[in-house]
Amino acid sequence: MAEAHAAVAFSFAITHEGFDINYDHEVLNLVLNSGVRSWKKRVARARNGIRNGVYPAHIQSLWLITAIALGLHFAGYQAPFNLTNRILVHLPSNTINWQISACFLAALTIWLSICFTMRYTLKLLLMYKGWMYESRAPGSRVSIPTMLWVAVVRVLSSWNKPGLYSFQGSLPRLPLPSVHDTMTRYLRSVRPLLDDQNYERMERLAKEFEQTIGKKLQRYLLLKSWTSTNYVSDWWEEYVYLRGRSPLCVNSNFYGTDAIFMNLTTIQSARAANVISLLLNFRRLIEHQELQPIMVQGMIPLCSWQYERTFNTVRVPGLETDRIVHYRDSNHIVVLHKGCYYKMLIYYKGRTLRPCELQVQIKEILEAKATPLEGEEHLAALTAWNRSKWAEARNTFFSRGINHVSLRTIESAAFVLSLDDEPFEFDLKRPELLDSFGKKLLHGNGYNRWFDKCFTVCVGNNGRVGFNAEHTWADAPVMGHLWEYIFGDDIEGYDETGNTKGIPEFTPPSPTRLNWDLKPCLPQIEEATISATKLINEVDLRILVHQEYGKGFMKKCRLSPDAYIQMVLQLAYYRDAGRFSLTYEASMTRLFREGRTETVRPCTIESAAWVKAMENPNTTNDERVQLLKEACDRHQLGYQDAMCGRGIDRHLFCLYVVSKYLEVDSPFLNEVLSEPWRLSTSQTPHGQTPKMDLKKHPNCISAGGGFGPVADDGYGVSYIIAGENLIFFHISAKTTCAQTDVHRFARNISQALADIRSMFEQHMKDHPKPAKSLTNGVSK
């Protein structure tokens, strides 16, 4: 074992002849290199901390101001506020050295004042959200306040090249809405879901809550908003994720797919090695804070807080609540192949291994004749088990000995790589292949994904890849950004034979098997395997590829593509279920510090009116078009409100948490928080990085990803508007529910897309744009 080898890397004994010293030169070099790397990272973190602390000013500007202060002083002029002479009074003497020191201290004071003035000016500017509500329609005018705001923000945000966390101190806090505003928005959102009698009852509950206990809860929440960076995020992570006792598999973790229209190589070891190398490059960019923060419209920063835990992170199970553990550094990954676990070093002889060297290690694993130890093949099913049961088993059987050492190796790894022994296939003529691809990534066989890790990279034996990610540490856009980075550079990573480019400079260290003693916990592993198998058999997944049209036609209709798709889903669900349902759409709040998500409620009064019009044969085409535009406008407003901190659900959630802390019962909050989200939706973002050059490589686009259904009698729908004429829908549901069917819902989506297109084409035919006059612009 490598661990035992390391334990005796250095030893000494006292004999009659003196000291007898034994040491392993290679292992001591590994320890030394690890220490050097650790100190380099500490220095880099300190340097980045200073840079981020003074941003948007630059550290080099201090030397310029110091030079000016020295010049003014020795030229006989006074510095501003006579700072140099005031400081010099308190120094031991008036010698040249002390005068230089006084000039430097004066310059430092002025420089810090300028830094913090710029920083808080930027923070005040970023509080303004009026730009979000400006019309983006062609020909619309931008208001003068927004134009001035844009000019100043653009100057401050581009004054100095930012690091990943440079804007963190300038981002505003998430604002706390008033109870009255939230009640108003909530009642409007549930109006299409309730009949008159139930709506009047809900109005009474809301009014009673607002006038009584709501005021007290709001005061406590206001205090929290003043004393915390973000009044939602810590409670959201704790109560929505970490305290959940359901299995992570299907219920929490999500997946992402390969660029399915490209087939870069069919060699599994080559694809795995190149992806590992690119992931490690991304990790280095995060650690050195060289990754550029995402900027909306090139000037408005999004919070980068979630990137910190992208690698070296694990969700550790607990009896009542889990915890997220992030390791500062990791020089290995763990590889899972044919039920066996391997520790694979990724850092050797003072540098990160290159793709060709990583491929050597992976080929060694693929060619190994090893067989799993007793219980090892199904071991990962424990991470797909009930969290409390897994915690109990972990505390009992993995708290000491070789099980503890091996488990810690997995949990401290940068990430987990699963080399699957089956292909990940795609063929437009055989849609079931893509459905199978998605299922393999969503849950696998229940025991070939380590669901606790930040993410597991999955590689099929035909060279296609995907990932399964744990949801607690970050939201899907962060993994989407990482995945786009991979595709952007993966194209150029292979030679004409399909192998990685380059020749290894040395023989990399061989992967080492992890050892286990699993006989005492075989009953628990068997029970977890049965539970995982039952869970994955209850889930069905359909990935719909829509190629008839995409965002190009939607923009031609002058509608927001996201609003357009959400209206498609409303119409499809109404046709599927015969009623409207509470609908969840995830929206980001990363315009604020430590922001995560907010809920947009796409089922509105306007969307319900349009859906009913589509189903009413007596409604004219023009009326349907007008109602759809109103529904999309309303949805867009709801999305803007959510992004600007004026959402409904996170505020209600936090009020509910406060009520539980105070042990106060609220019938209104109890009912609101128990409402099921039968249609849970999310758009997969893309184009977050300039590396994704779709003009040069039009097929370099992922099919997106998906997640399991939130409600037992509902659908989970993730979609990616991948191009001008391409949309992917990932639809999941429980097979145990007779009311849901992913294939039927997919057909309803396709029909809704076709019906809306026909509606607009008829509208354009009935109302053609007037031809431009031949004399237009010509002087008569």
Side-chain angles (χ1 to χ4, degrees):
M1 284 181 62
E3 290 77 15
H5 188 61
V8 294
F10 178 84
S11 63
F12 70 93
I14 300 175
T15 65
H16 295 291
E17 299 177 358
F19 292 100
D20 183 16
I21 301 176
N22 295 307
Y23 65 92
D24 188 310
H25 187 269
E26 182 179 350
V27 174
L28 289 182
N29 271 339
L30 286 174
V31 174
L32 178 62
N33 287 334
S34 177
V36 171
R37 188 171 69 253
S38 177
W39 276 104
K40 283 182 177 179
K41 289 187 176 183
R42 289 183 184 182
V43 171
R45 280 195 293 267
R47 184 175 64 249
N48 286 326
I50 295 173
R51 182 183 69 168
N52 296 335
V54 301
Y55 191 87
H58 198 290
I59 188 70
Q60 292 178 355
S61 61
L62 173 61
W63 314 126
L64 175 62
I65 296 176
T66 301
I68 293 173
L70 287 168
L72 289 173
H73 177 73
F74 288 106
Y77 296 98
Q78 290 185 357
F81 307 108
N82 197 24
L83 274 177
T84 304
N85 292 326
R86 290 185 178 184
I87 293 172
L88 194 57
V89 171
H90 299 284
L91 298 180
S93 66
N94 198 20
T95 62
I96 294 294
N97 289 338
W98 287 113
Q99 288 183 47
I100 293 173
S101 299
C103 289
F104 175 75
L105 291 174
L108 179 63
T109 303
I110 295 170
W111 179 73
L112 287 174
S113 300
I114 295 172
C115 289
F116 285 105
T117 299
M118 294 176 66
R119 180 170 176 171
Y120 284 101
T121 299
L122 181 59
K123 187 169 187 174
L124 287 171
L125 288 168
L126 293 178
M127 290 180 181
Y128 173 71
K129 295 294 183 286
W131 63 273
M132 282 284 297
Y133 298 91
E134 298 278 355
S135 174
R136 291 169 176 78
S140 60
R141 295 176 62 88
V142 179
S143 66
I144 293 177
T146 297
M147 291 176 64
L148 294 173
W149 175 83
V150 166
V152 179
V153 170
R154 193 177 294 278
V155 169
L156 287 176
S157 62
S158 60
W159 184 272
N160 179 15
K161 184 179 179 181
L164 179 60
Y165 304 123
S166 291
F167 288 106
Q168 293 302 101
S170 299
L171 290 171
R173 295 184 180 187
L174 184 69
L176 178 65
S178 68
V179 175
H180 176 74
D181 287 348
T182 299
M183 293 301 102
T184 302
R185 294 190 184 101
Y186 172 78
L187 289 172
R188 196 183 195 287
S189 72
V190 298
R191 187 64 188 95
L193 307 174
L194 303 174
D195 56 30
D196 292 342
Q197 182 178 355
N198 282 318
Y199 181 74
E200 289 175 4
R201 181 182 63 84
M202 186 56 72
E203 270 189 320
R204 289 194 301 271
L205 286 175
K207 186 175 182 180
E208 178 187 356
F209 173 78
E210 180 182 347
Q211 295 177 349
T212 56
I213 189 61
K215 295 180 180 179
K216 180 179 180 180
L217 301 181
Q218 180 76 353
R219 285 195 294 268
Y220 280 96
L221 197 54
L222 182 62
L223 181 62
K224 184 177 190 293
S225 72
W226 289 344
T227 57
S228 60
T229 308
N230 187 298
Y231 79 91
V232 175
S233 294
D234 56 341
W235 281 353
W236 187 254
E237 182 174 300
E238 175 71 18
Y239 294 105
V240 173
Y241 292 114
L242 296 178
R243 285 185 181 265
R245 301 293 84 195
S246 299
L248 300 183
C249 175
V250 175
N251 296 310
S252 180
N253 286 27
F254 59 95
Y255 70 89
T257 62
D258 202 351
I260 59 175
F261 292 107
M262 298 182 68
N263 200 357
L264 301 173
T265 179
T266 58
I267 302 175
Q268 187 178 21
S269 59
R271 189 72 192 282
N274 207 52
V275 168
I276 291 170
S277 179
L278 293 171
L279 288 169
L280 296 178
N281 287 340
F282 195 84
R283 184 177 74 158
R284 181 186 60 79
L285 292 177
I286 293 176
E287 289 175 344
H288 293 183
Q289 299 186 28
E290 295 172 359
L291 186 68
Q292 293 296 300
I294 295 178
M295 309 282 281
V296 179
Q297 299 182 0
M299 63 174 183
I300 305 157
L302 298 183
C303 179
S304 301
W305 162 67
Q306 297 179 50
Y307 286 86
E308 183 179 0
R309 302 185 293 186
T310 306
F311 296 89
N312 322 336
T313 301
V314 65
R315 175 169 165 172
V316 177
L319 295 176
E320 295 183 358
T321 181
D322 295 354
R323 57 192 174 94
I324 286 287
V325 176
H326 173 69
Y327 296 86
R328 280 296 184 96
D329 191 18
S330 179
N331 66 349
H332 72 279
I333 65 170
V334 166
V335 182
L336 173 57
H337 177 57
K338 290 186 175 180
C340 300
Y341 291 82
Y342 300 84
K343 177 182 179 179
M344 191 174 111
L345 291 180
I346 52 180
Y347 193 89
Y348 188 65
K349 291 194 174 181
R351 66 168 174 82
T352 304
L353 295 177
R354 297 190 176 99
C356 56
E357 294 156 354
L358 294 168
Q359 186 176 355
V360 172
Q361 294 177 299
I362 294 169
K363 284 179 68 177
E364 188 174 340
I365 293 174
L366 291 172
E367 294 169 358
K369 304 299 181 182
T371 56
L373 301 171
E374 188 176 8
E376 185 180 13
E377 183 178 6
H378 293 172
L379 176 64
L382 292 172
T383 67
W385 202 14
N386 174 277
R387 301 304 292 172
S388 296
K389 291 182 178 180
W390 167 212
E392 186 176 350
R394 186 179 188 277
N395 294 340
T396 304
F397 305 108
F398 296 87
S399 59
R400 62 183 66 85
I402 59 173
N403 286 348
H404 174 72
V405 172
S406 295
L407 180 62
R408 182 176 173 81
T409 301
I410 295 175
E411 294 183 340
S412 63
F415 54 88
V416 171
L417 173 71
S418 178
L419 299 172
D420 286 13
D421 203 26
E422 55 184 337
F424 298 163
E425 298 177 290
F426 167 69
D427 188 341
L428 280 173
K429 297 179 180 179
R430 299 176 61 193
E432 69 277 3
L433 292 179
L434 188 56
D435 297 347
S436 176
F437 191 172
K439 291 176 183 177
K440 291 171 184 175
L441 297 176
L442 176 62
H443 49 63
N445 58 17
Y447 47 84
N448 60 352
R449 311 280 181 260
W450 198 268
F451 296 102
D452 286 358
K453 276 301 289 180
C454 45
F455 61 89
T456 299
V457 176
C458 313
V459 187
N461 61 13
N462 61 346
R464 289 199 178 275
V465 301
F467 69 82
N468 179 287
E470 204 278 318
H471 209 328
T472 309
W473 61 271
D475 299 309
V478 176
M479 279 303 298
H481 186 184
L482 181 151
W483 214 232
E484 280 188 11
Y485 177 90
I486 299 302
F487 292 148
D489 286 340
D490 197 24
I491 300 172
E492 309 296 335
Y494 309 94
D495 60 22
E496 60 278 0
T497 66
N499 286 295
T500 53
K501 294 179 179 179
I503 300 174
E505 294 183 0
F506 49 77
T507 301
S510 296
T512 55
R513 277 286 304 275
L514 299 187
N515 278 310
W516 307 92
D517 179 16
L518 301 175
K519 290 182 181 179
C521 59
L522 288 178
Q524 286 78 10
I525 294 175
E526 183 180 0
E527 184 181 345
T529 304
I530 293 171
S531 175
T533 303
K534 180 182 177 183
L535 179 63
I536 65 180
N537 287 339
E538 290 177 350
V539 178
D540 201 3
L541 180 69
R542 173 79 175 93
I543 302 179
L544 172 65
V545 185
H546 180 78
Q547 291 185 292
E548 281 66 34
Y549 68 92
K551 64 181 178 182
F553 179 78
M554 299 172 194
K555 291 180 178 178
K556 188 177 178 181
C557 300
R558 296 191 174 185
L559 296 176
S560 157
D562 180 71
Y564 189 105
I565 294 297
Q566 284 293 333
M567 295 308 107
V568 167
L569 295 176
Q570 287 300 306
L571 180 57
Y573 186 85
Y574 187 81
R575 288 173 173 175
D576 187 88
R579 55 183 170 82
F580 296 109
S581 177
L582 190 62
T583 307
Y584 180 106
E585 181 189 4
S587 164
M588 69 168 186
T589 55
R590 287 171 60 197
L591 291 170
F592 303 96
R593 189 168 182 178
E594 295 186 11
R596 292 202 59 162
T597 60
E598 176 58 276
T599 304
V600 183
R601 296 184 169 216
C603 184
T604 61
I605 297 171
E606 290 79 7
S607 69
W610 169 73
V611 169
K612 289 177 180 177
M614 290 294 292
E615 298 300 278
N616 183 358
N618 297 323
T619 309
T620 66
N621 195 68
D622 287 351
E623 289 174 333
R624 291 174 177 175
V625 169
Q626 183 59 33
L627 288 171
L628 177 57
K629 289 182 177 180
E630 292 174 2
C632 288
D633 288 344
R634 183 67 211 183
H635 177 81
Q636 192 72 359
L637 178 61
Y639 204 97
Q640 291 162 343
D641 282 343
M643 289 184 65
C644 294
R646 301 189 183 104
I648 300 168
D649 293 277
R650 297 302 178 267
H651 186 201
L652 293 176
F653 162 76
C654 289
L655 290 171
Y656 179 77
V657 173
V658 174
S659 73
K660 291 302 177 183
Y661 273 122
L662 298 178
E663 298 182 348
V664 175
D665 188 61
S666 169
F668 171 75
L669 290 177
N670 290 338
E671 184 162 341
V672 170
L673 271 294
S674 64
E675 293 171 345
W677 300 96
R678 291 191 175 90
L679 182 57
S680 182
T681 71
S682 178
Q683 178 180 182
T684 302
H686 73 101
Q688 299 186 79
T689 169
K691 282 181 172 288
M692 186 68 76
D693 189 353
L694 295 181
K695 291 183 179 179
K696 185 178 179 180
H697 302 288
N699 291 331
C700 184
I701 182 69
S702 169
F707 51 89
V710 174
D712 290 340
D713 59 345
Y715 292 104
V717 182
S718 177
Y719 55 93
I720 178 171
I721 307 172
E724 298 298 311
N725 295 292
L726 181 63
I727 311 171
F728 292 96
F729 294 88
H730 299 249
I731 309 161
S732 63
K734 292 289 184 72
T735 58
T736 51
C737 178
Q739 287 75 40
T740 55
D741 184 319
V742 294
H743 301 281
R744 184 183 70 220
F745 194 57
R747 290 192 296 270
N748 284 327
I749 291 175
S750 296
Q751 188 61 52
L753 285 163
D755 289 348
I756 298 175
R757 182 181 189 178
S758 298
M759 179 185 73
F760 268 105
E761 287 177 342
Q762 183 62 45
H763 181 73
M764 293 171 186
K765 184 178 179 181
D766 294 340
H767 304 278
K769 291 183 180 179
K772 291 183 179 179
S773 171
L774 295 177
T775 60
N776 184 29
V778 179
S779 173
K780 294 184 181 179

